[in-house]
Amino acid sequence: MSLAEKIKVLIVDDQVTSRLLLGDALQQLGFKQITAAGDGEQGLKIMAQNPHHLVISDFNMPKMDGLGLLQAVRANPATKKAAFIILTAQGDRALVQKAAALGANNVLAKPFTIEKMKAAIEAVFGALK
């Protein structure tokens, strides 16, 4: 079993198309345990019930944005060790710095390629294969 097959991934994005693209890219990389949420609040509920190893979250969402979700995940002893990658269409250095200060493991800019997604994940977990 590859490392990718062992990692439970939670995708959090309010755009259905983005969730589908992310899920497809993760499957192409060998991930099998993928869950999706439409906003930060739903993502937080999923993490509370079933902690995942990796959260890939959009920054800009209604109800709870990616940084709010990141703070909540880091504040919970049951989920604080989960890897967290923030997705953003913005090349905003201040956002990247704030995400890092709050404990994000990496940032992935949209639009992304599968290769860039793989590199962002491998920077956290090491080689997937």
Side-chain angles (χ1 to χ4, degrees), residues 74-125:
R74 290 291 179 251
N76 183 340
T79 61
K80 70 180 182 181
K81 292 188 179 185
F84 204 105
I85 297 175
I86 288 275
L87 279 172
T88 183
Q90 305 166 13
D92 184 352
R93 281 186 74 168
L95 168 65
V96 172
Q97 290 173 338
K98 187 167 185 180
L102 292 173
N105 297 89
N106 216 330
V107 175
L108 181 62
K110 293 193 286 187
F112 61 87
T113 62
I114 291 176
E115 292 78 21
K116 286 184 180 178
M117 175 186 269
K118 182 179 181 189
I121 295 170
E122 287 185 336
V124 179
F125 287 97

Side-chain angles (χ1 to χ4, degrees), residues 9-12 19 34-38 42 46:
V9 184
L10 174 61
I11 298 167
V12 186
R19 290 195 306 266
I34 304 167
T35 307
Q42 185 182 18
I46 290 169

Side-chain angles (χ1 to χ4, degrees), residues 4-105:
E5 291 175 312
K6 295 176 187 175
I7 297 172
K8 290 194 301 187
V9 184
L10 174 61
I11 298 167
V12 186
D13 197 312
D14 60 318
Q15 300 294 317
V16 174
T17 304
S18 292
R19 290 195 306 266
L20 293 173
L21 288 170
L22 287 161
D24 183 60
L26 288 164
Q27 286 177 346
Q28 288 183 51
L29 291 173
F31 290 89
K32 306 275 189 231
Q33 301 178 71
I34 304 167
T35 307
D39 61 55
E41 287 182 1
Q42 185 182 18
L44 189 57
K45 286 178 187 170
I46 290 169
M47 284 296 284
Q49 295 168 356
N50 182 14
H52 287 55
H53 304 110
L54 171 61
V55 178
I56 300 177
S57 176
D58 190 26
F59 162 67
N60 192 14
M61 296 180 290
K63 296 188 183 178
M64 179 187 287
D65 69 16
L67 294 182
L69 177 60
L70 172 59
Q71 285 181 293
V73 166
R74 290 291 179 251
N76 183 340
T79 61
K80 70 180 182 181
K81 292 188 179 185
F84 204 105
I85 297 175
I86 288 275
L87 279 172
T88 183
Q90 305 166 13
D92 184 352
R93 281 186 74 168
L95 168 65
V96 172
Q97 290 173 338
K98 187 167 185 180
L102 292 173
N105 297 89

